[in-house]
Amino acid sequence: MASINERLRARKSAMFEMFDQFFLQQIVNGLAQGTVYALMAIGFTLIFGVLNVVNFAHDQLYTLGAFAGLWVIQLVAPPLFVVVLAVIVVGLMSGALLERLAFKPLRRFSDEASLKSKAVREATLLSSLAVSIVVRELLSNLQGSNAQPIPAAYQLMEPITVGSVTFVSGQFIIFGFGLAALIGLQWFLFRTRQGLAVRAVASNVNGALHVGINIERTIIITFMLGGVLGAVSGVLVGLYTGSIMPTMGFSVAIKAFVAMVMGGLNSIPGAVICAMGLGLVEALATNYIDAGWVDGIIYALLLATLLFFPRGILGGRRERV
């Protein structure tokens, strides 16, 4: 009898240890995935704050970053940090070009009523959506719609063992980059003149105009920031998963948009908190339900947030700068 009880206790202990290890791995997976959502959500939030419009082409900045990294690897095979630097340049250029193509032609006046009118908002929604479709179709025709493999030497899949739990390097690199980007963005927005200009335009366009802020330059810089965050996120995820494809940005952009709405349309901290929460929910929910139902849980959380917090969890009036 005693031996049976000992075997049962040993079995329970082994099961608990396995569950604990798997739970910890899922937590790390969720934090890495949530970091990607957060970086994308910050881009959405920055552009919405300045122009009061959603950039539906933001997913293609993510995808272009991934493909730019692959093209650089295929052409010159440089060290990894050079690949990331090249993607940063592509993100800056793509963000600025997107603003010139999809937003600037529809923004003919600089007053607040014109910048944030309903007609301009609807027109820019459609133009950014059109740019997204065109870029996706171009990539599909040039590269094919199938997944493109990343060379094994560049994949962020080096195992990292902590005790009895094994992680991979890509998870920590993505989380580390996201943390550094968030800290750098907060420093830029609160400690630099151009960052204060971005906040001022987001708060009150007329007031920013009256104190001599260059609205056009501020808008372009905002798009360039969003482009960098999206492009680097895309290449890091591609290096982590080992493959990329022209449609890879769509689902990530949808989750990031949900995080932005849940956090409050103009709140960067709210978007980050909700994005990290969505990443954790997505990772942990697969322990208990079929993966096909996970998206339903995320959208249910969105509906519940809008029901109890119509302005978002950290949404509210715009700050005075």
Side-chain angles (χ1 to χ4, degrees), residues 6-230:
E6 289 176 0
R7 286 199 298 271
L8 289 174
R9 283 196 296 269
R11 183 176 299 177
K12 289 180 180 179
S13 177
M15 290 177 62
F16 178 79
E17 184 177 353
M18 289 178 60
F19 174 80
D20 189 51
Q21 293 174 6
F22 184 72
F23 184 80
L24 182 58
Q25 288 175 330
Q26 292 298 88
I27 288 289
V28 175
N29 288 337
L31 289 175
Q33 189 63 53
T35 301
V36 176
Y37 294 157
L39 293 171
M40 292 287 285
I42 290 171
F44 275 123
T45 304
L46 284 171
I47 294 170
F48 186 88
V50 171
L51 290 180
N52 201 32
V53 67
V54 177
N55 175 20
F56 278 137
H58 199 55
D59 62 325
Q60 295 310 309
L61 297 174
Y62 176 91
T63 306
L64 281 173
F67 274 95
L70 176 61
W71 293 333
V72 170
I73 291 171
Q74 291 174 339
L75 289 174
V76 293
L80 182 59
F81 78 92
V82 176
V83 175
V84 175
L85 289 177
V87 171
I88 289 175
V89 173
V90 171
L92 291 170
M93 295 173 60
S94 299
L97 184 60
L98 172 63
E99 195 277 333
R100 295 289 95 175
L101 289 176
F103 292 85
K104 172 60 177 176
L106 302 170
R107 193 176 65 253
R108 300 182 180 180
F109 305 99
S110 297
D111 58 284
E112 186 172 16
S114 298
L115 285 172
K116 301 187 175 181
S117 71
K118 184 177 180 181
V120 172
R121 222 168 33 234
E122 293 174 349
T124 50
L125 283 175
L126 293 176
S127 65
S128 64
L129 180 60
V131 170
S132 175
I133 294 172
V134 168
V135 173
R136 184 170 63 248
E137 292 303 314
L138 284 175
L139 287 174
S140 297
N141 290 325
L142 292 173
Q143 296 290 128
S145 57
N146 296 325
Q148 304 292 316
I150 300 292
Y154 287 89
Q155 293 182 18
L156 303 177
M157 295 296 291
E158 182 179 350
I160 298 175
T161 302
V162 180
S164 58
V165 185
T166 301
F167 306 101
V168 294
S169 58
Q171 296 169 325
F172 296 101
I173 291 174
I174 290 173
F175 183 75
F177 171 76
L179 183 61
L182 182 59
I183 294 173
L185 180 65
Q186 291 300 303
W187 174 82
F188 171 78
L189 291 176
F190 288 89
R191 300 295 181 183
T192 67
R193 291 180 62 87
Q194 192 57 58
L196 291 174
V198 171
R199 293 170 57 213
V201 173
S203 177
N204 189 309
V205 176
N206 281 334
L209 281 170
H210 291 155
V211 297
I213 292 175
N214 189 323
I215 302 296
E216 293 298 321
R217 183 176 63 187
T218 302
I219 291 173
I220 292 177
I221 288 175
T222 304
F223 271 85
M224 293 171 73
L225 283 174
V228 169
L229 294 176

